[in-house]
């Protein structure tokens, strides 16, 4: 299928519904539309390519993430948005056959430089995963883990303070203050995820990456996490991958749309959801595929 | 017909019944253009009739064969003169055996001095035997015929053949499961009762707390210097000493190799090393035994002499070292499995917070896997305590009460072997003490296994 017929079908009101649209060749190889770049970037990515063995998962992506903004990344399954997110604190290093090239900077420092140590990097760029993964330790120990590992505190009182502060910021303190020493795995799914956020906050990162943090949670727990993100964005830079377009619309200030490993469009969230520039973005947000 | 012929005949009939009934059932079930008319698939009807033919007949043959021996025995005893019947039971058994042998091999055994009553009884025995076989054949054939005709008549829509076949298989599975349990119970009871006999002659507390082990008892009343002493403490200490040395080797080496394999090794390396470790587990313990006795023990003695230490040629150290090497694969393989089972998300969580790989292993992975590791170690310990061949060859036989690893000690298993090897009388305390030792060994390993299982069950789901 050539790109013209795909285009025609997309905007043809008579196009049969129910038949999958093939965008595999459509709009690829073009430059990202919208405003991927900015002058006050916290993190910037230039010409990033990621390969799993021979298979290329990310094609030539360039993007800036601003200080104290919430950047949402959306796109159909397998479009590379999680891979991209994991590149931002080098979590992909743990995957055996994953190859990254391109440039990623944090405050203008290349994080893929061969002298860069991943330990301080991950303390500055924290990550919250899709499935809550509290350690099989007490709630207190879960939050205290990061500060202990990084030697941030020397006295117990300081540690207590950090734990309480982090749990408060993750709006979990009131629910767990009476059972700090019971296992973190005994909490509900939503509480566990907030515990994981508290654990990340405890090492006072500058950027927090969230990889579909609400996909395993019910709507009420999701609403609480979303409120929390709004509060956190005052102090942290947040990049969130999400499957839920409503969530992206609610929490983020800018939205990036990924498709087949390529960054198609980056714009203000309101613009993306009301007047997308690229027809692929429009097709995705109007639910024509996903 | 002889019994084996009968069994083969029964199985053939069952196979025939299966084919006939199945074909008949599929004829009934699939009439042209209609829905299947039977409750179950045709092969279930075939299966059901095969089972009905085979199982009762095999049961009859089995029970008959068992009872036959008793019946024949009793019949022969009845035929013998009263003077013989008055003899003690063990001697009557001998006479009965003579009768049977005479009847079966007359040419070889018959002589002019054979008493008449034995020959007569032998003749009667043969007649009995023939009658018994004949009636067994008749009973089996009749029941085969009955079973087959019954099943033939029961190829009906109302008969739920599938349910019946499945119930029979369920019972068969239950039977297999209970064989293992019943065997265990049987062994435990036999060891227990023999031990009780032992404790009638030697007091329990002397056995448990006595510090002198010298199980030679007098064969004759007037024999000198072999009164027998059954204090098992030297054996317990020897066993614990050797097991302790073995665990000292196996736990650190096994655990660390497991950590390396599961956390650091590349998949290619792992694919080579893991099977090789498992080969180590496949080496027979007797091979380890002579390795310990012929290579390691002399080496230790020489190096001890070099350092000015006095090392006996059979030392606890040699046996313990080799046993430790032998159980490394237990520890490493089990630990590797539990470390691998720790979810990747926990590692990601820790790495994502900026912990290094070794911090992640120490603070997250090992604590999460600890219950499994502990149970692996306990299983290895019970293996070490029960191990025999290495200690028989390398640790020595003399029961010294010592904790010096350079001296020779002996273990519970070694003593059991030496007590029971060769011709023994089975009513002296010397032989019976082996059962008491076996009971002790069994109790300890059972307790360890139980603790291991308990630990695993208690903490298994913690990280889920």
């Amino acid at each position: 299928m050539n790109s013209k017929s795909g285009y025609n079908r997309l905007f043809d009101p008579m196009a049969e519904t129910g038949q999958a649209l093939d965008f595999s060749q459509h709009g690829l190889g073009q430059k990202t539309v919208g405003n991927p770049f900015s002058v006050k970037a916290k993190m910037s990515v230039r010409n990033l390519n990621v390969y799993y063995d021979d298979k290329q998962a990310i094609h030539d992506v360039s993007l800036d993430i601003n200080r104290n903004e919430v950047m949402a990344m959306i796109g159909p399954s397998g479009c590379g948005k999680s891979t991209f997110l994991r590149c931002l604190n080098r979590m992909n290093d743990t995957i055996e056959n994953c190859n990254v090239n391109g440039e990623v900077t944090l405050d203008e420092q290349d994080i893929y430089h061969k002298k860069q140590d991943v330990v301080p990097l991950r303390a500055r760029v924290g990550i919250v995963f899709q499935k809550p993964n509290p350690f099989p330790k007490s709630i207190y120990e879960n939050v205290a883990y990061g500060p202990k590992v990084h030697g941030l505190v020397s006295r117990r009182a300081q540690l207590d303070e950090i734990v309480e502060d982090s749990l408060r910021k993750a709006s979990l303190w009131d629910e767990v203050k009476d059972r700090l020493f019971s296992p973190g795995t005994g909490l509900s799914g939503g509480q566990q995820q907030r515990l994981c956020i508290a654990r990340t906050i405890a090492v006072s990162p500058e950027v927090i990456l969230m990889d579909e943090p609400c996909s395993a949670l019910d709507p009420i727990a999701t609403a609480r996490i979303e409120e929390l993100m709004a509060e956190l964005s005052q102090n942290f830079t947040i990049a969130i991958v999400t499957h839920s377009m409503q969530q992206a619309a609610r929490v983020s200030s800018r939205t990036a749309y990924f498709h087949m490993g390529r960054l198609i469009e980056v714009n203000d969230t309101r613009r993306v959801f009301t007047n997308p520039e690229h027809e692929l973005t429009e097709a995705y947000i109007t639910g024509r595929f996903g | 017909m002889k019994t084996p012929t009968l069994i083969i005949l029964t199985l053939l009939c069952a196979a025939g019944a299966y084919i006939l009934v199945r074909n008949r059932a599929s004829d009934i079930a699939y009439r042209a253009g209609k829905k299947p008319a039977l409750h179950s698939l045709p092969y279930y009807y075939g299966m059901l009739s095969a089972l009905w033919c085979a199982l009762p007949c095999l049961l009859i043959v089995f029970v008959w064969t068992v009872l036959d021996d008793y019946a024949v025995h009793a019949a022969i005893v009845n035929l013998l003169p009263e003077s013989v019947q008055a003899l003690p039971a063990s001697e009557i058994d001998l006479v009965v055996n003579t009768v049977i042998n005479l009847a079966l091999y007359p040419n070889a055994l018959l002589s002019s001095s054979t008493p008449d009553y034995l020959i007569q009884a032998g003749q009667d025995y043969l007649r009995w035997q023939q009658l018994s076989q004949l009636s067994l054949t008749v009973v089996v054939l009749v029941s085969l015929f009955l079973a087959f005709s019954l099943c033939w008549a029961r190829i009906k829509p109302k008969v739920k053949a599938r349910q019946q076949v499945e119930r029979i298989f369920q019972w068969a599975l239950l039977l297999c499961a209970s064989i293992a349990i019943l065997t265990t119970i049987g062994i435990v009871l036999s060891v227990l009762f023999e031990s009780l006999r032992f404790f009638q002659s030697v007091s329990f507390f002397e056995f448990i707390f006595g510090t002198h082990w010298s199980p030679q008892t007098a064969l004759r009343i007037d024999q000198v210097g072999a009164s027998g002493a059954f204090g098992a403490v030297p054996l317990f200490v020897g066993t614990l000493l050797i097991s302790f040395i073995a665990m000292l080797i196996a736990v650190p080496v096994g655990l660390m190799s497991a950590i390396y394999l599961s956390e650091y090794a590349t998949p290619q390396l792992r694919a080579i090393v893991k099977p090789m470790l498992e080969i180590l587990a496949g080496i027979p313990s007797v091979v380890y035994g002579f390795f310990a006795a012929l290579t390691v023990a002399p080496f230790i003695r020489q190096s001890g002499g070099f350092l000015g230490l006095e090392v006996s040629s059979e030392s606890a150290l040699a046996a313990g070292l080799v046993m430790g090497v032998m159980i490394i694969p237990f520890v490493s393989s089990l630990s590797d499995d539990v470390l691998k089972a720790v979810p990747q998300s926990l590692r990601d969580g820790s790495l994502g917070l900026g912990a290094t790989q070794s911090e992640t292993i120490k603070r997250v992975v090992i604590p999460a896997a600890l219950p499994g590791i502990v149970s692996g170690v306990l299983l290895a310990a019970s293996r070490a305590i029960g191990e025999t061949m290495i200690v028989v060859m390398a640790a020595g036989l003399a029961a010294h009460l010592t904790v010096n690893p350079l001296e020779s000690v002996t273990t519970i298993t070694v003593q059991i072997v030496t007590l029971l090897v060769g011709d023994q009388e089975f009513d002296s305390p010397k032989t019976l003490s082996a059962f008491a030792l076996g009971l002790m060994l069994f109790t300890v390993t059972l307790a360890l296994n139980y603790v291991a299982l308990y630990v695993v069950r208690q903490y298994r789901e913690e990280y889920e």
Side-chain angles (χ1 to χ4, degrees):
Chain A
M1 174 186 291
N2 62 36
S3 68
K4 186 135 194 306
S5 73
Y7 184 89
N8 285 342
R9 270 175 66 190
L10 182 55
F11 292 101
D12 181 3
M14 301 301 286
E16 322 80 353
T17 52
Q19 193 182 340
L21 299 176
D22 180 11
F23 289 94
S24 56
Q25 298 304 312
H26 191 78
L28 301 181
Q30 296 173 356
K31 286 182 74 177
T32 304
V33 301
N35 305 304
F37 305 121
S38 89
V39 283
K40 44 170 190 170
K42 177 74 183 169
M43 296 192 82
S44 30
V45 178
R46 291 293 178 273
N47 309 109
L48 186 76
N49 288 287
V50 180
Y51 304 84
Y52 293 110
D53 286 330
D54 300 335
K55 194 174 159 288
Q56 188 164 9
I58 301 276
H59 296 260
D60 199 29
V61 168
S62 299
L63 174 67
D64 285 345
I65 299 170
N66 290 332
R67 206 173 296 276
N68 293 3
E69 77 169 348
V70 178
M71 161 73 93
M73 291 154 207
I74 59 172
S77 296
C79 68
K81 53 193 191 301
S82 286
T83 301
F84 176 78
L85 191 78
R86 290 168 67 101
C87 286
L88 299 180
N89 74 345
R90 293 186 50 179
M91 279 308 284
N92 282 337
D93 288 11
T94 60
I95 298 169
E96 199 73 45
N97 51 6
C98 182
N99 248 313
V100 178
N101 67 54
E103 191 188 62
V104 182
T105 60
L106 173 66
D107 290 337
E108 276 141 35
Q109 248 185 323
D110 184 6
I111 66 169
Y112 280 93
H113 193 276
K114 55 177 182 293
K115 283 190 182 151
Q116 171 71 49
D117 185 0
V118 293
V119 168
L121 168 70
R122 288 180 187 152
R124 291 175 68 191
V125 184
I127 185 164
V128 175
F129 295 92
Q130 180 172 0
K131 211 179 136 216
N133 57 348
F135 302 132
K137 301 171 185 289
S138 69
I139 295 168
Y140 184 95
E141 284 296 323
N142 262 284
V143 182
Y145 184 84
K148 277 186 182 172
V149 160
H150 291 289
L152 298 182
V153 289
S154 53
R155 284 181 301 117
R156 176 80 182 192
Q158 288 174 297
L159 194 59
D160 289 348
E161 208 173 293
I162 290 184
V163 169
E164 177 175 345
D165 188 48
S166 308
L167 285 170
R168 276 192 198 284
K169 280 189 188 148
S171 65
L172 189 61
W173 174 253
D174 291 332
E175 291 159 62
V176 301
K177 63 182 177 212
D178 300 324
R179 46 171 176 152
L180 283 177
F181 296 96
S182 57
T185 42
L187 296 173
S188 74
Q191 290 174 324
Q192 286 189 13
Q193 194 62 301
R194 275 179 283 148
L195 177 62
C196 292
I197 293 174
R199 189 172 73 182
T200 307
I201 296 172
V203 292
S204 28
E206 295 152 41
V207 182
I208 300 177
L209 311 174
M210 295 187 172
D211 189 358
E212 299 176 36
C214 301
S215 64
L217 304 182
D218 66 64
I220 294 169
T222 301
R224 298 214 50 176
I225 303 257
E226 287 179 7
E227 272 172 41
L228 182 58
M229 278 188 253
E231 288 166 29
L232 292 177
S233 66
Q234 292 166 8
N235 300 314
F236 304 98
T237 302
I238 296 177
I240 175 174
V241 162
T242 176
H243 264 302
S244 154
M245 284 177 277
Q246 291 87 340
Q247 183 169 65
R250 282 192 298 262
V251 301
S252 67
S253 50
R254 284 203 307 157
T255 296
Y257 175 68
F258 282 77
H259 188 94
M260 307 279 300
R262 288 170 171 84
L263 180 55
I264 304 296
E265 174 169 356
V266 184
N267 259 322
D268 285 349
T269 298
R270 194 182 305 164
R271 172 87 200 266
V272 169
F273 286 101
T274 54
N275 184 20
E277 270 181 59
H278 200 285
E279 69 262 34
L280 279 172
T281 318
E282 163 151 353
Y284 182 69
I285 63 163
T286 53
R288 264 185 262 205
F289 63 84
Chain B
M1 267 184 275
K2 296 257 188 249
T3 312
T5 330
L6 267 182
I7 292 175
I8 293 171
L9 180 77
T10 306
L11 294 178
L12 285 177
C13 283
Y18 171 77
I19 294 167
L20 286 175
V21 171
R22 188 196 57 188
N23 290 347
R24 168 92 179 133
S26 68
D27 285 349
I28 295 178
Y30 304 111
R31 295 269 159 70
K34 289 195 181 164
K35 275 188 167 180
L38 289 175
H39 169 272
S40 310
L41 292 174
Y43 100 91
Y44 280 111
Y45 288 91
M47 205 63 172
L48 187 62
S49 54
L51 290 169
W52 269 112
C53 286
L55 292 181
C57 290
L58 294 178
L59 190 67
I60 290 171
V61 171
F62 177 72
V63 173
W64 196 287
T65 318
V66 171
L67 291 184
D68 201 34
D69 274 353
Y70 288 102
V72 167
H73 191 279
I76 295 177
V77 173
N78 267 333
L79 294 169
L80 294 172
E82 281 185 12
S83 59
V84 180
Q85 286 187 35
L87 290 170
S90 54
E91 288 187 35
I92 293 185
D93 284 349
L94 279 178
V95 176
V96 169
N97 274 337
T98 319
V99 168
I100 293 175
N101 285 334
L102 276 175
L104 291 178
Y105 313 106
N107 298 336
L109 299 174
L110 218 51
S111 69
S112 54
S113 63
T114 313
D116 271 350
Y117 70 87
L118 285 184
I119 299 171
Q120 184 58 41
Q123 298 304 321
D124 287 337
Y125 163 73
L126 284 183
R127 237 180 301 127
W128 252 97
Q129 196 67 340
Q130 276 167 357
L131 186 66
S132 156
Q133 273 301 328
L134 188 67
S135 31
L136 175 59
T137 311
V138 170
V139 169
V140 166
L141 288 178
V142 166
S143 69
L144 274 176
F145 179 74
L146 279 181
F148 180 75
S149 38
L150 202 72
C151 291
W152 188 265
R154 279 167 61 82
I155 311 175
K156 285 180 194 160
K158 268 195 289 183
V159 177
K160 296 179 174 171
R162 173 164 46 83
Q163 273 89 333
Q164 295 185 21
V165 169
E166 278 169 6
R167 202 170 310 136
I168 291 173
F169 275 110
Q170 215 173 316
W171 281 103
L173 296 178
L174 179 69
L175 191 71
C176 292
S178 52
I179 283 175
I181 297 168
L182 290 177
T183 317
T184 314
I185 293 176
I187 291 174
V188 172
L189 288 183
S190 101
V191 170
L192 190 66
F193 284 121
E194 299 294 335
S195 308
L196 288 179
R197 274 177 69 193
F198 170 71
F199 289 129
Q200 280 165 4
S201 49
V202 176
S203 101
F204 179 73
F205 293 102
E206 189 196 327
F207 177 72
I208 292 286
F209 298 114
T211 55
H212 185 58
W213 177 265
S214 162
Q216 296 306 322
T217 44
L219 290 177
R220 303 186 310 275
I221 308 284
D222 55 344
Q223 205 173 2
V224 208
S227 53
F230 294 97
V233 169
L235 309 189
F236 296 151
V237 171
T239 305
L240 289 180
L241 178 63
I242 290 181
S243 305
F244 179 73
I245 295 171
M247 298 309 284
L248 221 53
I249 302 291
V251 171
V253 175
L255 194 55
M256 286 182 195
S257 65
I259 290 171
Y260 177 75
L261 278 183
S262 70
E263 304 292 325
Y264 290 102
T266 60
Q268 295 89 329
L269 186 70
R270 190 181 149 81
I272 300 170
V273 175
K274 188 126 204 253
M276 282 175 70
L277 264 177
E278 269 145 26
I279 290 176
L280 203 59
I283 296 176
S285 65
V286 66
V287 175
Y288 281 110
F290 62 70
F291 177 63
L294 301 181
T295 312
V296 178
F299 173 76
I300 289 178
R301 193 182 48 187
Q302 278 165 15
S303 14
F306 191 67
L307 295 171
L309 294 169
E310 203 169 308
V311 184
S312 71
S313 57
E314 290 175 321
S315 63
L317 188 61
L321 284 178
V322 175
M323 194 193 281
V325 172
M326 189 190 76
I327 57 179
I328 284 174
F330 281 85
V331 179
S332 71
S333 194
L334 288 168
S335 306
D336 180 56
D337 289 345
V338 293
L339 288 172
K340 272 272 159 214
V342 173
Q344 183 61 32
S345 67
L346 287 185
R347 294 190 184 88
D348 283 349
S350 172
L351 294 172
L353 285 169
T356 64
Q357 193 170 4
S358 72
E359 283 164 344
T360 302
I361 293 167
K362 273 183 296 195
R363 289 165 175 263
V364 175
V365 179
I366 291 181
L370 199 59
I373 292 173
V374 169
S375 82
V377 167
L378 289 179
L379 285 178
S382 68
R383 175 78 209 237
I385 291 172
E387 170 52 38
T388 312
M389 286 321 293
I390 294 174
V391 278
V392 165
M393 296 190 197
L397 298 177
H400 297 137
L401 181 54
T402 175
V403 289
N404 179 358
L406 302 178
E407 277 183 49
S408 89
V409 295
T410 191
T411 68
I412 298 177
T413 50
V414 171
Q415 287 306 312
I416 293 178
V417 170
T418 49
L419 289 171
L420 293 185
V421 165
D423 293 334
Q424 303 290 351
E425 36 169 359
F426 266 84
D427 48 1
S428 79
K430 178 192 167 192
T431 326
L432 289 175
S433 68
F435 288 97
L437 289 176
L439 187 67
M440 286 298 133
L441 199 59
F442 177 77
T443 314
V444 172
T445 46
L446 186 74
L448 276 179
N449 283 343
Y450 182 78
V451 170
L453 278 179
Y454 176 80
V455 169
V456 174
R457 210 170 292 154
Q458 194 71 12
Y459 299 101
R460 184 168 46 191
E461 290 175 345
E462 212 187 6
Y463 54 70
E464 278 165 10

